[in-house]
Amino acid sequence: MSTNQKSKFNLANIIKYGIYLSAFIPLVIFSQFISPFHFGKVIVFRSLIEILVVFYVILLVKHGRQFLPPRTPLFWAITIFTAAFGLTTFTSVNIYQSFFGTLERMGGWFSLVHFWGFFVIATGVLRKKEEWLTFIKLSLFVSLLSAFYGFLQKTDIPWIIGSGGRAKIFGTIGNPALFAGYIIINAFLALMLYFKPGNSKNEKRFYAAAFLIDAFAVLLTGVRGSVLGVAVGIVLFGFLYSIDFGSLKIKKYTTYFLILVVVAVGVLYSLRNTDFVKNNQYLSRYADISPKARTVQTRMWAWQAGFDGWNDSFKYMVLGWGPEMFNVPFSKHFNPNFISLGSETLFDRAHNQFLEVLFTMGLIGFTAYVLIYIYAFKGLNKLNSNPENKVFKIGLISALVAYMIHNFFIFDTSANYIMFFIVLGFINLLTVANNQISAVSSIAVKSKNILANFVGTILMIAIIFSIYFFEIIPAKANYTTTRAIVASWNGNHDLAFEKFKEAMSYDTFGKYDIRHRYGQYILEQGTRQGQVDQKTKERLLVAIENIKKNAEESPEDYLPYLYISRSYILLGKEGPNSPYNDLALENSLKALEISPTFVRTYYEVAQAYLNKKDLPKAIEWFERVVELNPQVPLSHWYLGITYAQAGQLQRGARIIENSGYNYKSSEVDALRMSEIYFRMKNFHKIAEVYEALIKLNPKDPQYHASLAVAYREIGERDKAIKEAQTAAQLDPAFVKEAQDFINSLK
């Protein structure tokens, strides 16, 4: 072998094994980082691909175009989608976020370009069917490790992240639905290889085990859409196999499986109200297939918000709002029904990959995305040249259909994308003329060593800078943020503040999330204190200045304005004439301009008026929020309490009593109601409230003493004596008072 050929062989092998290494990315977990299951995977994957790019370009420069990927229709569809992603990134309402994505999901065009590079390099270097099968076998092995990690989450092993008898496992992916998507593709790849001609017995045992274990793992995720995808995929595989190979046996087994699934679903649905089903976390979930189920409703509301935003203008219909920007149309067309018990709700994804692309990338991105599937299916449909290719066709079609069904209820992230592009890469190889890429030419190509070395050196320097600025610096900022969070958990707020300041000073990717988390932290600390001290005030002002940067960088996002408003409200508690209250109103109203139906913002406007002692205005805003969604008990609670503060005790109490708000579940809320009832001299209601308080905190002697007084007022003499005695038993300081109280009753 000539020196030139050795160089080609060595470079190709380095790249090939680097590509194989990517199969292990789904196992990466950065446990000490924000978004531990996504951040680390993407950071490692992007760094790996950037390093491989250097070797790949050197290979191309030294040995010509023979290592370029085959330009099939599928290749062009993927390339067009990547270009459409880039175009819609630069027309986005927030170019920075569309380019880099969010810290939680780690998406954005920057990451997608790396997946496109992964596809290009893999299809250019893995030129034999056997090399792709090796890649797939490695992926199956990794999927089994991830599945077993998920099974261990049902235990109490402390070093397993997510352990503790978890109801729905999520393996090494961090989310049950995303884990299911990753496992689904591997399950069908295992099923495909099981039926591949020429397997040994041990190989068939491995593939069968991989399929069954992965399918079982999907079942334990409790994700109904994913389980549906697996069931449909199995049925499709069976019928396609029986048609292409004329197997009556497979057709019979597939029919039995289909009947079993239909009967099981029918029986489960008919027994959905029995204790046996209700008390089983999996059966109850799979039996809940009503369109009124909460998860179904929330997805429908989110999709409707997306469609409303998509229809806002011709630009959004064609180009969308920008990748990673679904939160904007969702907020602008927020459905108040999302608010349950006053909880804060935000969908940053459409939870439907196809609609996600439509809403964020418009018709251009959606068409390009659908073309990927069209050309994948068209290419596979032509694979009838030999039994092996027929099996590949059946297996890959079934995998894609199952994955599409799964993706109708969720979205893609890094681990899922790796599997998706592995499948697309294998299809790209199979659909080349003659079902294979001809071997790399052994004809000597004049080596361009000097040029290759020069280009490689320049690229290596560029990649070092890229990895440092786009991977290492964000990792340092992320890790520093978690040190701040840990310090706050340990009560070391001085260290937490310093670490948050350090993390924000990096001003790198993820800065929005870091500033936002600092804002959440300092707001929680200030709320717990009640009265804001000087140190907390200074830290709140730091939070405000940093969150203002989020507002400037994301002008279509209501959330920064909402958090600025909340910070000013805390500062405005110093007095009704505080200028912070007017600043709170100003920012709350800006948030309402962006998201006019977001319930929580109305609370903040009303709270600012409460700070200003303007009770009529506060009542007006609480009434508006009740009209916005009368089904939220918390809104009625706020309205009733405010009426009571304004002196309209009967009206306030009536609103609260009719609201369905369970104030008896909170000591603070129950005590506030006891004050209202005391001012109304309604001792029957006072007795009810203190009975509830004693259930919450039976060791508080004052609760028993107060209940004794209430019982005395309503004529319950024996109960009054018993409660007075209990108070004395709990605290000796109550002994004399309790005795005097009992004597007064006698």
Side-chain angles (χ1 to χ4, degrees):
M1 184 183 292
S2 67
T3 303
N4 188 58
Q5 292 299 313
K6 286 181 180 179
S7 169
K8 178 165 56 179
F9 178 78
N10 291 335
L11 281 170
N13 272 340
I14 289 171
I15 298 167
K16 179 172 70 174
Y17 291 118
I19 290 294
Y20 286 165
L21 192 61
S22 67
F24 292 87
I25 296 291
L27 299 179
V28 173
I29 301 173
F30 280 20
S31 61
Q32 300 299 312
F33 287 69
I34 294 172
S35 189
F37 292 94
H38 298 305
F39 183 83
K41 288 178 176 61
V42 176
I43 291 293
V44 173
F45 176 78
R46 292 195 310 215
S47 300
L48 173 63
I49 297 304
E50 289 177 17
I51 292 169
L52 291 180
V53 163
V54 177
F55 289 105
Y56 184 61
V57 171
I58 293 173
L59 184 66
L60 292 180
V61 172
K62 292 184 71 171
H63 304 291
R65 299 161 55 89
Q66 55 190 305
F67 284 99
L68 287 173
R71 270 77 77 197
T72 64
L74 179 58
F75 167 84
W76 289 117
I78 294 169
T79 302
I80 290 169
F81 175 68
T82 305
F85 204 121
L87 173 64
T88 54
T89 291
F90 290 103
T91 60
S92 170
V93 295
N94 187 334
I95 295 175
Y96 187 91
Q97 184 165 313
S98 291
F99 189 88
F100 285 110
T102 63
L103 195 60
E104 182 180 2
R105 306 298 187 196
M106 297 295 291
W109 190 52
F110 186 64
S111 290
L112 185 75
V113 168
H114 286 76
F115 283 104
W116 178 80
F118 166 68
F119 175 80
V120 168
I121 296 171
T123 54
V125 175
L126 303 184
R127 311 179 67 83
K128 298 177 182 178
K129 193 182 296 183
E130 292 73 22
E131 292 174 328
W132 279 98
L133 291 178
T134 298
F135 197 9
I136 290 171
K137 291 172 188 176
L138 282 173
S139 178
L140 293 182
F141 173 71
V142 172
S143 77
L144 290 176
L145 294 179
S146 186
F148 282 117
Y149 192 91
F151 299 152
L152 291 175
Q153 287 164 346
K154 306 290 286 183
T155 71
D156 293 320
I157 299 174
W159 55 269
I160 298 293
I161 300 177
S163 64
R166 177 167 292 278
K168 299 191 293 181
I169 67 172
F170 53 65
T172 59
I173 311 302
N175 175 288
L178 299 176
F179 173 60
Y182 165 72
I183 290 294
I184 282 173
I185 294 181
N186 279 288
F188 281 96
L189 291 177
L191 187 63
M192 174 188 77
L193 293 184
Y194 175 82
F195 283 93
K196 183 178 75 70
N199 286 328
S200 67
K201 287 185 178 180
N202 286 335
E203 286 177 323
K204 291 182 78 70
R205 290 191 187 107
F206 172 73
Y207 299 140
F211 171 73
L212 293 173
I213 291 169
D214 281 351
F216 183 60
V218 173
L219 197 64
L220 290 187
T221 64
V223 181
R224 290 162 293 190
S226 304
V227 173
L228 174 64
V230 170
V232 172
I234 291 173
V235 171
L236 180 62
F237 185 98
F239 282 124
L240 288 177
Y241 190 91
S242 63
I243 291 170
D244 273 8
F245 288 92
S247 174
L248 294 177
K249 182 179 179 181
I250 295 296
K251 184 177 182 180
K252 180 175 67 174
Y253 287 151
T254 304
T255 303
Y256 289 159
F257 176 78
L258 179 59
I259 293 171
L260 177 65
V261 169
V262 172
V263 171
V265 170
V267 171
L268 190 59
Y269 185 75
S270 65
L271 298 176
R272 66 190 183 281
N273 294 320
T274 63
D275 290 338
F276 174 73
V277 172
K278 286 182 177 180
N279 294 332
N280 186 288
Q281 57 191 3
Y282 290 108
L283 295 181
S284 60
R285 181 165 179 80
Y286 291 129
D288 186 12
I289 56 176
S290 167
K292 294 183 179 180
R294 180 69 180 174
T295 53
V296 175
Q297 289 184 321
T298 54
R299 276 166 172 71
M300 296 298 291
W301 296 335
W303 296 344
Q304 185 60 57
F307 276 114
D308 291 341
W310 185 67
N311 282 317
D312 274 351
S313 75
F314 179 74
K315 174 196 171 185
Y316 298 139
M317 292 182 71
V318 176
L319 296 168
W321 289 82
E324 301 289 300
M325 295 309 300
F326 177 74
N327 63 300
V328 176
F330 175 83
S331 302
K332 286 184 178 293
H333 300 278
F334 181 80
N335 189 327
N337 290 320
F338 266 107
I339 300 295
S340 174
L341 298 177
S343 61
E344 199 163 287
T345 306
L346 176 66
F347 269 38
D348 62 346
R349 295 289 181 93
H351 287 73
N352 178 313
Q353 182 64 19
F354 296 92
L355 294 182
E356 171 75 19
V357 173
L358 178 65
F359 300 150
T360 61
M361 297 168 59
L363 290 171
I364 287 179
F366 181 77
T367 303
Y369 184 66
V370 171
L371 278 176
I372 293 174
Y373 284 98
I374 290 174
Y375 283 115
F377 285 125
K378 285 184 69 175
L380 288 171
N381 195 46
K382 298 176 183 178
L383 295 182
N384 295 304
S385 58
N386 58 61
E388 184 179 66
N389 279 348
K390 286 183 180 181
V391 170
F392 291 154
K393 175 188 74 173
I394 294 166
L396 293 170
I397 287 176
S398 302
L400 287 175
V401 169
Y403 190 62
M404 289 172 70
I405 294 172
H406 158 83
N407 262 3
F408 193 76
F409 304 99
I410 195 62
F411 46 84
D412 282 319
T413 52
S414 55
N416 309 65
Y417 261 141
I418 288 173
M419 291 310 307
F420 186 49
F421 278 94
I422 288 175
V423 167
L424 295 178
F426 189 41
I427 294 172
N428 201 62
L429 172 87
L430 295 173
T431 54
V432 175
N434 300 321
N435 295 340
Q436 64 179 13
I437 302 175
S438 58
V440 175
S441 172
S442 60
I443 300 173
V445 177
K446 186 178 180 181
S447 180
K448 303 176 181 178
N449 287 321
I450 296 176
L451 178 61
N453 292 337
F454 175 76
V455 171
T457 301
I458 297 298
L459 272 179
M460 184 58 72
I461 293 171
I463 292 304
I464 289 171
F465 276 97
S466 174
I467 291 175
Y468 179 75
F469 285 108
F470 298 126
E471 319 300 349
I472 295 176
I473 293 296
K476 290 173 68 176
N478 188 325
Y479 183 76
T480 304
T481 303
T482 61
R483 297 314 89 199
I485 294 170
V486 170
S488 71
W489 290 344
N490 295 329
N492 191 344
H493 298 294
D494 291 336
L495 178 60
F497 175 65
E498 292 303 320
K499 285 297 180 183
F500 269 119
K501 280 182 64 178
E502 180 187 342
M504 291 185 290
S505 70
Y506 284 108
D507 196 31
T508 185
F509 164 68
K511 56 189 177 182
Y512 178 102
D513 304 83
I514 295 169
R515 294 166 185 160
H516 184 70
R517 284 177 181 269
Y518 173 63
Q520 285 180 313
Y521 156 68
I522 201 64
L523 278 171
E524 290 169 3
Q525 188 185 10
T527 302
R528 282 195 299 268
Q529 288 179 351
Q531 188 67 36
V532 176
D533 58 27
Q534 184 60 33
K535 182 182 287 187
T536 304
K537 179 179 179 179
E538 292 171 359
R539 292 174 179 178
L540 274 168
L541 291 172
V542 171
I544 289 169
E545 290 306 310
N546 279 279
I547 298 173
K548 279 181 179 178
K549 295 177 183 177
N550 282 352
E552 292 168 2
E553 295 165 5
S554 308
E556 299 289 340
D557 188 354
Y558 75 94
L559 206 55
Y561 292 111
L562 186 62
Y563 271 66
I564 292 170
S565 173
R566 288 174 178 173
S567 301
Y568 279 135
I569 284 170
L570 268 181
L571 294 170
K573 290 183 181 296
E574 64 188 17
N577 297 321
S578 171
Y580 294 124
N581 293 318
D582 292 323
L583 290 170
L585 283 172
E586 178 186 330
N587 283 277
S588 291
L589 293 175
K590 285 181 180 177
L592 275 182
E593 287 177 15
I594 297 171
S595 182
T597 53
F598 191 67
V599 171
R600 292 290 301 186
T601 309
Y602 288 78
Y603 295 162
E604 308 310 327
V605 175
Q607 183 59 56
Y609 281 117
L610 286 174
N611 279 3
K612 292 166 70 71
K613 305 299 181 185
D614 190 343
L615 295 180
K617 273 290 187 181
I619 289 171
E620 176 189 330
W621 280 90
F622 281 132
E623 285 180 335
R624 286 192 194 183
V625 78
V626 167
E627 291 171 5
L628 198 63
N629 183 0
Q631 305 303 315
V632 182
L634 185 63
S635 301
H636 293 273
W637 162 258
Y638 287 146
L639 178 61
I641 286 292
T642 308
Y643 267 119
Q645 283 182 269
Q648 299 185 50
L649 300 173
Q650 296 285 352
R651 185 172 186 177
R654 186 169 60 252
I655 289 171
I656 293 169
E657 289 164 0
N658 295 333
S659 69
Y661 182 75
N662 184 17
Y663 61 84
K664 294 178 181 178
S665 64
S666 163
E667 289 188 62
V668 174
D669 291 346
L671 286 170
R672 294 188 73 179
M673 280 304 295
S674 72
E675 292 173 9
I676 294 173
Y677 288 133
F678 181 78
R679 291 166 64 192
M680 294 168 61
K681 306 300 181 185
N682 188 337
F683 289 99
H684 282 89
K685 285 292 186 180
I686 292 174
E688 288 181 14
V689 172
Y690 276 99
E691 286 170 350
L693 281 166
I694 287 171
K695 288 181 180 178
L696 293 173
N697 188 359
K699 300 297 185 181
D700 191 318
Q702 185 60 58
Y703 290 168
H704 291 277
S706 298
L707 181 57
V709 173
Y711 280 149
R712 180 189 66 187
E713 295 299 325
I714 62 177
E716 296 280 358
R717 178 179 175 276
D718 292 340
K719 289 183 178 180
I721 292 172
K722 181 180 178 182
E723 292 302 324
Q725 290 172 338
T726 302
Q729 290 171 358
L730 290 171
D731 187 348
F734 280 80
V735 171
K736 185 179 185 306
E737 184 181 348
Q739 190 58 53
D740 292 343
F741 176 82
I742 294 170
N743 291 338
S744 71
L745 291 176
K746 294 179 181 178

